[in-house]
Amino acid sequence: MSESKTKEYEKPENIINPNSKFSIEVNNLRKVFRGKKGFDDVVAVDDISFKVKSGELFGFLGPNGAGKTTTINILIGLLKPTSGTAIVNGYDVKDGLYHIKQLIGVCPQEPAIFKLLTGKENIKLFGALHSMKKVEIEENADKLLKILNLSNASKRKTKGYSGGMLRQLNMIIALIHDPKIAFLDEPTVGMDPRVRRATWEFIRSLKKKNKTIFLTTHYIEEAEKLCDRVAIIDYGKIIEIGNPNELIQKYMVNNLEDVFMKITGRRIME
């Protein structure tokens, strides 16, 4: 990147609201994937608006294909919105990605792991990509591996890891640089119940450090146990937002899936 281009990205005036109490602000966001000849356009995200407070564990709950991953990909700069605005830590994703990428950690739905490297070697590689010092990488890696009980496994090549272990390693890689905002996209898919619950405890520990966590999931229990608030999304539209317990009481049902069914007439896992 040229020096002039770098300075342009670093302009302090790129920030929209430096004193906002919200880490994420989304207004009338829309994403349309244009269909090829003979095929209809696909509206993946349909005019959604929501805000995530700093230090909040915010859940994006909905079935597969509801628009959860598309929304995350817009917030982290992998996709451009068709219309609307998305602001992360005061910066608009349209022109503030240089700043945003310094602040976020992303755990994608599919593990981004090099199978011929050991777990520790993967962590060190991604830590180096964040320009971290070797000592800092080592310290952070050891702490995170210990919490998730992966210290011994980290010495082995990851091609022999189970699906759950790969997802846990993926989360460590996303958090190795101690980001202010963590995007966790379906982080516990494929985990057995024991590993899933250990991962829940790990996610809770992040919140205690006052990190903002944006969690997508289609697991009802996960959203109920972990999230301060949830946005329920279906067919690209947000149909309800609130605290899990308050939503359950509002609709006089037993759980969030019953809330979803009462609103939409179908179950999340269909």
Side-chain angles (χ1 to χ4, degrees), residues 46-109:
D46 192 1
D47 194 33
I48 65 172
S49 299
F50 62 90
K51 294 181 180 181
V52 180
K53 298 174 185 176
S54 297
E56 184 175 28
L57 205 169
F58 186 84
F60 224 41
L61 176 66
N64 291 330
K68 302 188 301 295
T69 298
T70 300
T71 302
I72 275 190
N73 285 342
I74 292 172
L75 291 171
I76 66 176
L78 291 182
L79 288 175
K80 292 183 178 179
T82 302
S83 60
T85 59
I87 299 167
V88 178
N89 208 58
Y91 294 97
D92 194 312
V93 297
K94 292 178 181 177
D95 59 14
L97 282 178
Y98 176 88
H99 299 279
I100 291 170
K101 288 180 179 179
Q102 314 304 312
L103 301 166
I104 65 173
V106 182
C107 181
Q109 197 170 123

Side-chain angles (χ1 to χ4, degrees), residues 31-48:
K31 179 61 182 179
V32 180
F33 293 100
R34 301 299 178 188
K36 295 181 180 180
K37 189 174 182 181
F39 293 89
D40 294 334
D41 294 346
V42 176
V43 181
V45 175
D46 192 1
D47 194 33
I48 65 172

Side-chain angles (χ1 to χ4, degrees), residues 113-126:
I113 307 293
F114 292 95
K115 295 291 184 71
L116 295 181
L117 298 180
T118 67
K120 193 72 170 285
E121 287 169 343
N122 269 281
I123 295 169
K124 288 180 177 180
L125 173 61
F126 283 93

